[in-house]
Amino acid sequence: MSQAWWKKSVVYQIYPRSFRDSNGDGIGDLKGITSKLDYVKELGADVIWLSPIYQSPNDDNGYDISDYRAIMKEFGTIEDFDQLLAEAHRRGLKIVMDLVVNHTSDEHPWFVESRSSRDNPKRDYYIWREPRDGKEPNNWGNCFSGSAWEYDPQTEMYYLHCFSKKQPDLNWENPQVRQEVFDLMTWWCEKGIDGFRMDVISMISKKPGLPDTDPQGAKYGSCLPGTCHGPHVHEYLQEMNRKVLSRYDLMTVGETAAVTVEEAKKYANAQGTELNMVFQFEHNDLDTRGGLVGKWCLDRMDLVKLKEILSRWQTELDGKAWNSLYFCNHDQPRIVSRLGDDSPKYRERSAKCIATCVHMMQGTPYVYQGEELGMTNAPFASLSDYRDIDSIRGYHDMVDSGILPPEEMLTYMAFKSRDNARTPMQWDDSPNAGFTTGTPWIMVNPNYKEINAREQMARPDSVFHYYKTLISLRRNSPLSDLLMNGHYTLLLPQDPELFVYQREYEGQKLLVACNLSGSTRKLEGLPQENWELVLTNAPVEKDTLLPWQACVFKNF
Ligand code: GLC
Ligand code: CA
């Protein structure tokens, strides 16, 4: 396992709907992705994670699958996929598929059958319960809005859905369901794909008896305590590993809501009996609140806490499991607007600073499309600008019930909505940022004239080139072994602006110093070594970090 290829990989996540439209219908597609493989290659990432491309009614942009062996018609055909895979492999790029098997679409034939009668052979593929006192079987809230239960008049029972009612949860306790999942995974492995990113995989084993959680009643995500890390989750993943994963040379990463370091050591154990790594959420949840408010607020991440969390994951998993390193994906607002400073003065420097902080740690880094350009949040102004089910439902929850005035909620959405990550990739300064010749399915961020790939590829001090350097340091440089294996130590833990840490491997050391603030800071109190500067994003002044400056030093 110490030689596993994915330990040296950098993953580039593509959200197909927003990456590149090849036929002018305003929706990104597989041919569009194939046409941009050289771009990913140029950046230096070696793995592409594709958000779901399967047939879907798109209630949640493909995270509601109605046929696991077919391609969403807007995205193309299975032949287009075969071509994408072949072209990727020809360039030495691997393809990791999103695997969404905690739930299906309600339009999946399994669910259509399951709901048709109480004694249908597929009834038990999903989680059906009798009403309790004429109402929902328990008080769980789903992760978007309202109850996690939907009443089905045809059979007078409720089914469980931890996300929208068009995403019914599969019943993993049923061995036939598990076998169906293993079969479809095998089908994709036989096609030659290189791995899976497993959607909310920590939720597949529900707490026995489905007990009530919060006594206040259904709230956002209040199904999580009853669904995350349930009693059989590790057993199911070990079965999946035996029956599918261990038979191929794959990379696997589990999206594990509510995961702790202790749980992660099981999911991503170094013996390789389950998954290779997981996505944890402790750091990205730092600027969210509990209860009804959830993420809808303007809170900022507390840097001292952020350092504590990321450092704990670094030191606790070292040698025992493997970290995934990320801030950005299709569910998170843009990090330069969230944690950095997206004003013209510091946008590029702060984007590079945050990237340095992430990429010099131990684990596998994930770059989300446009992050490598320092793409920002979008100037969404009204509800009609949004497409994301989570944002639209959230708005109605908060505003229709009078909890928040519309303007206030719209301010929070502009800061936190998932749609901030889903505006089209900014390729160049031609109309619609070169994403489409038609009408894009969601607004293009108007700042594409300044922020776009073509401009940045031509400019050596761009965010793009900086990411390229970070990636090549890890992939192919004298620092590679140290970056992969080096032990991590946090320095200056209480400093509210500086994120400073050291990596150490076989006598070689790396010092990473990032000023995550707009003030100029003295760099003092650090271990005395013969430090040599490897990389920085701003002019060098002795013992000083300029606003948003990052410096990487080595001692060999
Ligand atoms: C995961 C996905 C998210 C989706 C949800 C339900 O969190 O990343 O986009 O809405 O699962 O599938
Ligand atoms: Ca298209």
Side-chain angles (χ1 to χ4, degrees):
M1 159 134 175
S2 58
Q3 292 307 308
W5 56 265
W6 41 264
K7 285 192 166 181
K8 226 179 154 173
S9 289
V10 176
V11 182
Y12 188 81
Q13 183 190 352
I14 290 179
Y15 195 68
R17 179 165 291 269
S18 304
F19 195 58
R20 165 81 190 148
D21 172 24
S22 72
N23 63 350
D25 67 354
I27 299 174
D29 45 52
L30 298 186
K31 282 205 166 86
I33 297 172
T34 305
S35 73
K36 293 294 184 183
L37 289 173
D38 286 335
Y39 172 80
V40 180
K41 183 74 186 167
E42 173 71 20
L43 180 64
D46 59 312
V47 178
I48 292 173
W49 150 26
L50 293 178
S51 275
I53 58 168
Y54 316 91
Q55 186 171 303
S56 164
N58 282 308
D59 190 50
D60 186 16
N61 285 359
Y63 283 89
D64 48 318
I65 297 169
S66 53
D67 185 344
Y68 290 95
R69 291 174 179 81
I71 302 294
M72 191 190 300
K73 58 180 182 319
E74 297 92 321
F75 288 178
T77 62
I78 199 76
E79 288 74 31
D80 295 337
F81 177 81
D82 292 339
Q83 197 193 357
L84 165 58
L85 186 65
E87 289 295 320
H89 285 170
R90 202 163 65 76
R91 291 167 175 79
L93 298 169
K94 296 186 153 75
I95 299 282
V96 163
M97 304 286 285
D98 219 309
L99 181 75
V100 189
V101 288
N102 172 69
H103 44 267
T104 68
S105 164
D106 65 338
E107 297 179 33
H108 193 290
W110 299 337
F111 190 74
V112 172
E113 276 199 52
S114 182
R115 84 186 321 171
S116 66
S117 74
R118 286 186 175 218
D119 54 10
N120 183 278
K122 293 207 164 42
R123 183 66 169 179
D124 201 34
Y125 270 39
Y126 295 84
I127 301 172
W128 292 96
R129 290 291 182 275
E130 298 285 354
R132 180 175 73 179
D133 308 327
K135 296 203 187 76
E136 289 80 10
N138 72 18
N139 69 358
W140 294 359
N142 75 56
C143 294
F144 293 147
S145 150
S147 171
W149 295 96
E150 180 70 10
Y151 183 68
D152 195 49
Q154 196 171 335
T155 56
E156 301 179 322
M157 284 174 81
Y158 283 87
Y159 65 86
L160 180 69
H161 59 91
C162 291
F163 294 89
S164 95
K165 66 179 183 197
K166 286 186 67 61
Q167 294 167 297
D169 280 50
L170 282 165
N171 175 20
W172 275 69
E173 287 182 17
N174 181 341
Q176 277 173 281
V177 166
R178 301 203 294 278
Q179 197 53 52
E180 297 266 20
V181 170
F182 303 154
D183 288 349
L184 73 89
M185 291 174 74
T186 303
W187 190 86
W188 284 99
C189 289
E190 288 297 321
K191 270 201 168 292
I193 60 141
D194 304 289
F196 295 105
R197 174 268 186 188
M198 301 186 190
D199 192 67
V200 291
I201 202 70
S202 54
M203 296 170 67
I204 57 177
S205 167
K206 277 57 174 174
K207 227 184 211 168
L210 311 182
D212 279 349
T213 49
D214 190 298
Q216 314 293 315
K219 286 183 179 169
Y220 286 123
S222 62
C223 62
L224 294 177
T227 55
C228 289
H229 327 302
H232 301 293
V233 67
H234 297 292
E235 175 191 319
Y236 296 156
L237 289 176
Q238 285 162 24
E239 183 185 356
M240 177 195 284
N241 188 296
R242 277 195 313 277
K243 293 189 171 160
V244 187
L245 306 177
S246 60
R247 299 174 45 222
Y248 302 90
D249 183 18
L250 303 173
M251 185 197 106
T252 53
V253 52
E255 189 207 22
T256 46
V259 74
T260 57
V261 159
E262 286 314 310
E263 278 296 329
K265 285 184 199 168
K266 300 182 200 161
Y267 286 115
N269 68 74
Q271 291 69 45
T273 58
E274 297 186 20
L275 306 175
N276 298 144
M277 58 193 127
V278 297
F279 291 122
Q280 61 89 12
F281 287 87
E282 276 191 72
H283 63 316
N284 269 336
D285 284 345
L286 265 179
D287 56 9
T288 71
R289 300 183 189 178
L292 255 187
V293 171
K295 65 182 172 188
W296 306 120
C297 61
L298 296 179
D299 291 0
R300 293 265 170 173
M301 294 184 185
D302 175 312
L303 188 61
V304 172
K305 286 190 193 143
L306 179 68
K307 294 195 293 188
E308 185 278 316
I309 290 168
L310 293 178
S311 303
R312 178 156 41 78
W313 281 85
Q314 286 290 296
T315 50
E316 289 279 322
L317 296 200
D318 190 3
K320 303 195 178 85
W322 191 250
N323 270 293
S324 47
L325 309 173
Y326 85 104
F327 274 116
C328 306
N329 62 37
H330 64 291
D331 294 330
Q332 304 292 337
R334 294 287 181 177
I335 196 64
V336 68
S337 303
R338 184 184 193 177
L339 179 64
D341 178 345
D342 65 6
S343 70
K345 188 164 180 201
Y346 288 131
R347 184 182 61 77
E348 293 221 332
R349 203 194 280 172
S350 66
K352 294 171 187 172
C353 184
I354 294 166
T356 311
C357 210
V358 171
H359 281 250
M360 295 294 102
M361 290 187 181
Q362 188 189 72
T364 299
Y366 289 73
V367 179
Y368 176 73
Q369 64 183 49
E371 178 189 339
E372 76 283 10
L373 307 175
M375 273 179 63
T376 65
N377 278 355
F380 297 125
S382 71
L383 185 59
S384 62
D385 289 334
Y386 290 89
R387 300 288 177 272
D388 167 32
I389 181 170
D390 175 51
S391 309
I392 295 168
R393 294 283 164 84
Y395 178 93
H396 288 300
D397 274 359
M398 293 303 191
V399 174
D400 298 356
S401 59
I403 298 175
L404 287 177
E407 300 71 35
E408 191 178 338
M409 182 61 183
L410 286 169
T411 313
Y412 301 151
M413 286 161 71
F415 186 45
K416 289 287 185 55
S417 168
R418 309 197 292 184
D419 276 341
N420 283 301
R422 301 175 180 187
T423 61
M425 178 70 179
Q426 293 167 204
W427 292 109
D428 56 40
D429 63 2
S430 69
N432 292 320
F435 163 69
T436 182
T437 54
T439 307
W441 70 278
I442 187 172
M443 83 151 58
V444 175
N445 194 321
N447 65 18
Y448 71 90
K449 300 234 182 225
E450 293 82 55
I451 306 175
N452 64 69
R454 178 179 294 162
E455 189 278 331
Q456 293 203 18
M457 291 173 83
R459 177 165 55 86
D461 71 348
S462 65
V463 181
F464 178 86
H465 279 278
Y466 194 87
Y467 266 84
K468 223 179 130 167
T469 305
L470 287 172
I471 294 170
S472 74
L473 284 177
R474 172 174 300 267
R475 298 276 305 143
N476 176 29
S477 86
L479 296 182
S480 296
D481 286 343
L482 168 61
L483 282 174
M484 181 158 65
N485 303 308
H487 306 299
Y488 172 102
T489 315
L490 178 67
L491 305 171
L492 313 179
Q494 295 306 323
D495 193 297
E497 294 172 337
L498 303 185
F499 198 151
V500 185
Y501 60 87
Q502 192 173 289
R503 303 282 311 276
E504 186 171 359
Y505 182 63
E506 296 183 340
Q508 302 187 331
K509 287 183 190 163
L510 202 70
L511 181 70
V512 182
C514 302
N515 181 2
L516 293 172
S517 83
S519 35
T520 300
R521 290 289 313 268
K522 278 279 163 239
L523 195 53
E524 294 164 328
L526 297 173
Q528 291 301 309
E529 299 268 350
N530 209 0
W531 295 120
E532 181 193 325
L533 186 67
V534 179
L535 180 68
T536 186
N537 59 347
V540 178
E541 289 179 25
K542 195 175 178 331
D543 299 329
T544 300
L545 285 176
L546 296 173
W548 300 103
Q549 183 164 26
C551 290
V552 180
F553 305 94
K554 63 173 184 172
N555 77 338
F556 58 96

